[in-house]
């Protein structure tokens, strides 16, 4: 049941004022069923009217899919430029994303963030997925270690934030997907006769996993003919050659079942045991079924990393069948009461009653309140100077900075520089290249077609040659191997964007290979003289060695939080506890690359330092990106 914005506005205006109007952003993705569950379950409450919102589906393919599969679910279909008219909503539920910060949603609507799993720490929700830029509240699934309320000061400048409140508050909500899984298990009768073979995204699995999938599946099919072997892979890997090989194998067995539905719940509810190559902190299978999990590793000495109880087993290839039989023959409490106790022991909030809690507290949420039982993190104001200050740290860190890059793009009206920074961010994500690299080249494609591209055409060409070219070759090979889908942007760049570098001088006009130490506040170079370091490690050593010929470079002290390093010397320089910083006024150089952001925050928030803070730039591309930032 899909309506347009005009009809929906008329409907909203006729609603009783005591009914809260909720929207849920729905995307055609792996979590579509989870989002639709939110709509269906929330509409069971008389005080709530909930609708799914599908945005910017230009081809109508996804719209047709939702109409076909969920004809009774209310959806609003609208373009991005129409989203400003959904401001009659009281609350909107938004799934965390690594490719959008939902700038098209009116800021007057209270935004509730939805993490994608029970084991996603609040740190990831706010920083990795950028929720600090666009969530007022976050639906917490389980208890997490509480962080300092000031933890995220200086992380999300107000000029870049898209939500209403000067805080982000985590609600003790629960996990509806677990509730549904839990209830599906409760409804089953009779013994469970399925073995689940569960695989994560293959690029996230360990390198050897792809080589053992076929053999492992065949072993299960041969050794357990009386059990249904439920085989499931990440939907991104459906066309992977090894997966295709496994599907061809399975067709010859009566006990083979390929789980390819959008939701695995109905399939996994039948499982008596789950086989996986990754150890999960808390997988829904364990919590919802109470059944055992086998972690299959190559290393026979592997021991569990998390505090699991006796339902988790480890095995190698030699002992696989024996351990699996042990798990199948074990006696475990899989009763409804026993499973609920396990959920509570795992810290899951409100098992079976997540939506009850949300609806009971909707009035507090709409009015912008926070309750004592909620975990609230406060955010400061921040100006455009704070944006540059943070962006310099992110560039120097060599870490991905997607949410910040996207928020910077919104603030800068999607300038050419912001698109280049976004492309750089995605190419830094080397762990899941099949997912992130195409996003990077989508940003680069937009840059090439930007009205101000001529202003960055030379810099873009150099970036492509030094950073993008190898990543693009990976994408082309991955397309040929069926590991990623063909996109218009990738094909256009392949066919039309030809880069030729005539000489090294052309690169050197843009990129300087000299190492430098920059002021995070204004981008200027360090003036040397007496200076101090934070961090007594290899990175500090490399900075000192690279400047040993500079007579004006005089490090007089190093500070480090490691007690083992304090009250000693490093390269002949005394090392002090950070508490001693108050006695030094010299410029501070951060002797770390990967942890530069955390150290800067610690020095400003915890130690209240007023010293100038500097970072070491040892990458030529980072060097020229910082120069572009100074020139903007």
């Amino acid at each position: 049941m899909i309506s347009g914005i005009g009809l929906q506005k008329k409907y909203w205006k006729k609603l009783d004022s005591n009914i809260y109007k909720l929207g849920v952003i729905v995307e055609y993705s792996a979590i579509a069923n989870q989002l639709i569950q939110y709509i269906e379950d929330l509409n069971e409450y008389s005080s709530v009217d909930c609708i799914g919102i599908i945005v910017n589906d230009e081809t109508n393919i996804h719209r047709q899919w939702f109409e076909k599969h969920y004809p009774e679910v209310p959806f609003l279909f609208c373009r991005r430029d129409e989203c400003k008219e959904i401001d009659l909503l009281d609350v909107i539920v938004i799934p965390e994303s690594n490719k959008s910060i939902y700038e098209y949603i009116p800021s007057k609507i209270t935004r509730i963030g939805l993490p994608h799993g029970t084991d996603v720490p609040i740190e990831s929700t706010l920083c990795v997925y950028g929720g600090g830029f666009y969530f007022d509240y976050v639906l917490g699934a389980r208890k997490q270690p509480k962080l300092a309320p000031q933890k995220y000061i200086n992380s999300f400048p107000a000029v870049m934030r898209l939500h209403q409140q000067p805080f982000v508050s985590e609600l003790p909500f629960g996990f509806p997907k677990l509730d549904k899984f839990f209830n599906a298990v409760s409804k089953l009768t009779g013994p469970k006769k399925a073995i689940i073979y569960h695989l994560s995204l293959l690029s996230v699995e360990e390198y050897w996993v792809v080589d053992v999938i076929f053999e492992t599946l065949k072993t299960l099919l041969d050794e357990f003919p009386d059990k249904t072997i439920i085989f499931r892979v990440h939907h991104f890997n459906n066309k992977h050659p090894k997966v295709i090989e496994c599907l061809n194998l399975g067709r010859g067995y009566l006990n083979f079942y390929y789980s390819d539905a959008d939701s695995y719940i109905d399939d996994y509810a039948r499982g008596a045991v789950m086989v996986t190559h990754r150890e999960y902190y808390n997988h829904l299978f364990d919590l919802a079924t109470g059944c055992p999990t086998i972690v299959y590793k190559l290393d026979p000495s592997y021991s569990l990393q998390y505090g699991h109880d006796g339902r988790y087993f480890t095995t190698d290839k030699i002992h696989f069948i024996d351990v699996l039989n042990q798990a199948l023959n074990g006696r475990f409490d899989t009763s409804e009461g026993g499973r609920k106790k396990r959920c509570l022991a795992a810290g899951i909030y409100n098992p079976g009653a997540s939506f009850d809690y949300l609806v009971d507290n909707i009035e507090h949420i709409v009015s912008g309140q926070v309750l004592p039982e909620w975990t609230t993190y406060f955010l400061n104001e921040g100006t455009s100077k704070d944006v540059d200050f943070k962006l310099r740290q992110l560039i120097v860190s060599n870490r991905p900075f997607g949410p910040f890059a996207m928020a910077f793009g919104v603030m800068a009206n999607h300038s050419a520089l912001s698109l280049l920074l976004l492309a750089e961010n995605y190419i830094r994500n080397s762990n899941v290249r099949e997912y992130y690299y195409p996003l990077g080249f989508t940003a680069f494609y937009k840059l090439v077609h930007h009205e101000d591209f001529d202003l960055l055409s030379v810099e873009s060409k150099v970036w492509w040659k030094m950073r993008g070219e190898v990543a693009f070759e990976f994408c082309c090979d991955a397309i040929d191997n069926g590991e990623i889908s063909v996109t218009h942007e990738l094909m256009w760049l392949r066919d039309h964007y030809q880069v030729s570098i005539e000489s090294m001088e052309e690169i050197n006009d843009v990129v300087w290979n000299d190492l430098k130490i920059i002021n995070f506040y204004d981008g200027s170079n360090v003036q040397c003289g007496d200076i101090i370091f934070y961090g007594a490690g290899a990175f500090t050593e490399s900075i000192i060695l690279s400047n040993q010929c500079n007579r004006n470079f005089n490090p007089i002290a190093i500070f480090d939080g490691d007690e083992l390093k304090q009250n000693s010397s490093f390269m002949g320089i005394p090392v002090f506890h950070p508490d001693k910083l108050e006695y030094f006024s010299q410029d501070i150089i951060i002797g770390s690359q990967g942890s530069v952001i955390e150290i800067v925050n610690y020095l400003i928030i915890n130690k209240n330092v007023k010293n100038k803070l500097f970072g070491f730039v040892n990458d030529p591309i980072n060097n020229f990106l910082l120069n572009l930032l100074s020139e903007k």
Side-chain angles (χ1 to χ4, degrees):
M1 184 171 61
I2 294 184
S3 66
I5 188 66
L7 288 174
Q8 189 61 38
K9 286 181 70 175
K10 291 180 181 179
Y11 171 77
W12 281 332
K13 289 177 180 178
K14 292 178 180 178
L15 274 180
D16 189 300
S17 60
N18 294 320
I19 296 178
Y20 291 101
K21 298 179 285 295
L22 271 65
V24 177
I25 293 291
V26 178
E27 299 174 336
Y28 182 76
S29 67
I31 65 167
N33 286 288
Q34 181 181 348
L35 298 170
I36 289 164
Q37 181 192 352
Y38 275 61
I39 302 165
E40 293 176 327
D41 288 359
L42 284 167
N43 277 328
E44 295 294 321
Y45 297 85
S46 60
S47 60
V48 168
D49 185 89
C50 188
I51 188 169
I53 299 175
I54 305 170
V55 179
N56 203 30
D57 180 17
E58 296 177 356
T59 63
N60 278 337
I61 294 175
H62 297 163
R63 173 177 177 169
Q64 293 165 8
W65 185 88
F66 285 114
E67 284 181 319
K68 177 181 177 181
H69 290 86
Y70 300 98
E72 302 302 319
V73 176
F75 291 109
L76 167 62
F77 175 77
C78 59
R79 302 185 309 271
R80 285 199 176 201
D81 60 342
E82 293 178 318
C83 284
K84 60 181 179 292
E85 299 187 58
I86 66 173
D87 58 0
L88 290 174
L89 285 171
D90 297 302
V91 173
I92 191 162
V93 177
I94 307 172
E96 64 184 10
S97 173
N98 46 27
K99 60 182 181 180
S100 175
I101 58 172
Y102 302 98
E103 68 271 18
Y104 49 85
I105 295 173
S107 59
K108 67 172 289 189
I109 306 172
T110 300
R111 298 162 174 235
I112 299 180
L114 173 63
H116 67 273
T118 59
D119 56 352
V120 179
I122 190 67
E123 174 85 7
S124 294
T125 293
L126 298 188
C127 297
V128 177
Y129 294 97
F133 288 116
Y134 57 97
F135 291 159
D136 294 297
Y137 299 90
V138 174
L139 296 176
R142 57 187 301 274
K143 293 179 182 177
Q144 298 189 31
K146 287 193 176 182
L147 307 174
Q150 308 301 319
K151 165 77 174 177
Y152 299 106
I153 295 290
N154 295 329
S155 296
F156 308 102
V159 291
M160 303 174 77
R161 298 202 300 263
L162 301 170
H163 56 282
Q164 296 180 49
Q165 306 299 343
F167 59 75
V168 180
S169 190
E170 184 180 23
L171 311 178
F173 170 63
F175 198 36
K177 183 178 179 181
L178 172 60
D179 295 341
K180 186 173 183 180
F181 197 169
F182 189 97
N183 293 331
V185 173
S186 297
K187 292 176 182 177
L188 288 176
T189 58
K192 295 182 178 183
K193 294 185 177 181
I195 297 174
I196 313 296
Y197 185 18
H198 174 87
L199 290 161
S200 298
L201 188 67
L202 292 180
S203 58
V204 175
E205 296 276 13
E206 293 184 69
Y207 71 93
W208 52 267
V209 170
V210 71
D211 295 323
V212 303
I213 298 173
F214 183 89
E215 180 184 13
T216 304
L217 178 61
K218 189 174 189 306
T219 298
L220 291 170
L221 291 166
D222 288 335
E223 295 289 333
F224 299 95
D226 60 328
K227 303 286 186 187
T228 300
I229 309 302
I230 298 177
F231 179 61
R232 187 176 180 93
V233 300
H234 193 284
H235 67 279
F236 279 2
N237 297 132
N238 282 336
K239 296 182 180 179
H240 190 283
K242 188 61 67 174
V243 174
I244 298 298
E245 186 180 357
C246 287
L247 295 182
N248 290 334
L249 168 71
R251 291 189 183 97
Y253 289 82
L254 295 176
N255 62 331
F256 176 76
Y257 181 86
Y258 182 46
S259 174
D260 61 350
D262 293 315
S263 171
Y264 62 64
I265 286 176
D266 289 338
D267 295 336
Y268 280 30
R270 299 185 285 144
V273 64
M274 182 172 77
V275 176
T276 178
H277 298 294
R278 289 184 69 199
E279 180 188 354
Y280 293 87
Y281 183 75
N282 273 132
H283 194 280
L284 294 191
F285 176 82
D286 169 38
L287 294 171
T289 67
C291 293
T293 297
I294 307 292
V295 182
Y296 177 152
K297 296 286 187 180
L298 281 188
D299 181 4
S301 64
Y302 179 83
S303 58
L304 296 173
Q305 305 299 303
Y306 305 116
H308 298 298
D309 59 16
R311 284 175 171 79
Y312 267 71
F313 299 77
T314 60
T315 186
D316 58 6
K317 176 182 176 181
I318 295 174
H319 302 96
F320 179 42
I321 298 303
D322 290 339
V323 173
L324 185 49
N325 276 313
Q326 180 186 350
L328 286 168
N329 295 325
R331 299 182 66 180
F332 305 101
D333 183 2
T334 59
S335 67
E336 185 170 327
R339 290 182 284 121
K340 187 171 184 178
K341 287 180 181 178
R342 285 180 60 74
C343 291
L344 290 171
I348 301 295
Y349 295 121
N350 306 306
S354 305
F355 288 114
D356 288 348
Y357 186 86
L358 177 61
V359 174
D360 286 346
N361 287 280
I362 198 74
E363 183 178 352
H364 300 303
I365 294 168
V366 172
S367 59
Q369 299 177 38
V370 294
L371 300 185
E373 65 196 73
W374 302 352
T375 305
T376 302
Y377 299 101
F378 297 98
L379 311 175
N380 63 338
E381 290 302 315
T383 66
S384 57
K385 288 184 179 180
D386 296 297
V387 174
D388 292 349
F389 175 64
K390 179 64 71 172
L391 195 49
R392 289 188 185 98
Q393 297 170 49
L394 290 163
I395 292 172
V396 167
S397 74
N398 260 351
R399 285 157 50 176
F401 55 102
F404 203 95
M406 287 184 278
F408 177 73
V410 174
M411 188 189 77
N413 198 26
H414 302 289
S415 66
L417 173 59
S418 73
L419 290 168
L420 182 58
L421 289 173
L422 190 58
E424 166 71 11
N425 154 70
Y426 284 126
I427 300 306
R428 287 184 178 187
N429 280 275
S430 58
N431 288 336
V432 193
R433 294 177 294 176
E434 296 91 341
Y435 179 76
Y436 286 108
Y437 281 7
L439 294 177
F441 290 114
T442 295
F444 193 82
Y445 169 87
K446 292 178 180 177
L447 168 62
V448 173
H449 290 81
H450 195 278
E451 60 184 1
D452 293 330
F453 176 66
D454 288 346
L455 300 177
L456 284 182
S457 60
V458 176
E459 289 82 357
S460 300
K461 182 163 64 171
V462 171
W463 180 88
W464 179 276
K465 201 67 181 175
M466 297 187 69
R467 195 83 99 203
E469 196 166 67
V470 172
F472 194 75
E473 289 175 1
F474 169 84
C475 289
C476 292
D477 290 342
I479 288 174
D480 293 340
N481 294 331
E483 295 173 350
I484 63 175
S485 301
V486 176
T487 68
H488 166 73
E489 292 82 3
L490 287 171
M491 291 300 96
W492 189 94
L493 289 169
R494 186 193 67 181
D495 296 338
H496 300 286
Y497 189 72
Q498 303 297 326
V499 172
S500 61
I501 300 293
E502 310 223 341
S503 66
M504 284 306 296
E505 286 74 19
E506 189 173 357
I507 291 181
N508 292 335
D509 285 342
V510 175
V511 177
W512 296 273
N513 287 307
D514 58 313
L515 307 176
K516 68 179 182 181
I517 301 169
I518 66 138
N519 185 332
F520 286 131
Y521 289 97
D522 61 16
S524 62
N525 292 339
V526 69
Q527 297 303 307
C528 293
D530 290 350
I531 51 94
I532 58 180
F533 279 87
Y534 191 94
F539 203 69
T540 290
E541 181 180 7
S542 67
I543 300 172
I544 293 173
L545 291 175
S546 68
N547 285 275
Q548 60 186 348
C549 296
N550 184 349
R551 295 183 178 180
N552 293 322
F553 188 80
N554 184 34
I556 62 170
I558 300 175
F559 298 83
D560 199 293
D562 187 343
E563 293 181 358
L564 298 176
K565 296 179 179 180
Q566 295 162 9
N567 302 314
S568 64
S569 65
F570 182 80
M571 301 184 73
I573 305 165
V575 181
F576 299 102
H577 189 284
D579 286 349
K580 302 294 184 183
L581 275 164
E582 61 179 306
Y583 302 110
F584 292 79
S585 60
Q586 290 83 3
D587 295 343
I588 301 175
I589 299 175
I590 308 301
S592 173
Q593 186 173 47
S595 300
V596 62
I597 297 158
E598 290 76 15
I599 292 173
V600 168
N601 281 353
Y602 169 76
L603 293 175
I604 293 174
I605 298 171
N606 297 79
K607 295 303 173 185
N608 196 31
V609 300
K610 303 300 180 185
N611 314 53
K612 294 178 182 177
L613 301 175
F614 290 79
F616 183 54
V617 188
N618 63 351
D619 181 288
I621 289 293
N622 291 348
N623 202 336
F624 103 78
L625 289 174
L626 289 164
N627 290 333
L628 288 175
L629 184 62
S630 297
E631 296 167 5
K632 72 174 175 66

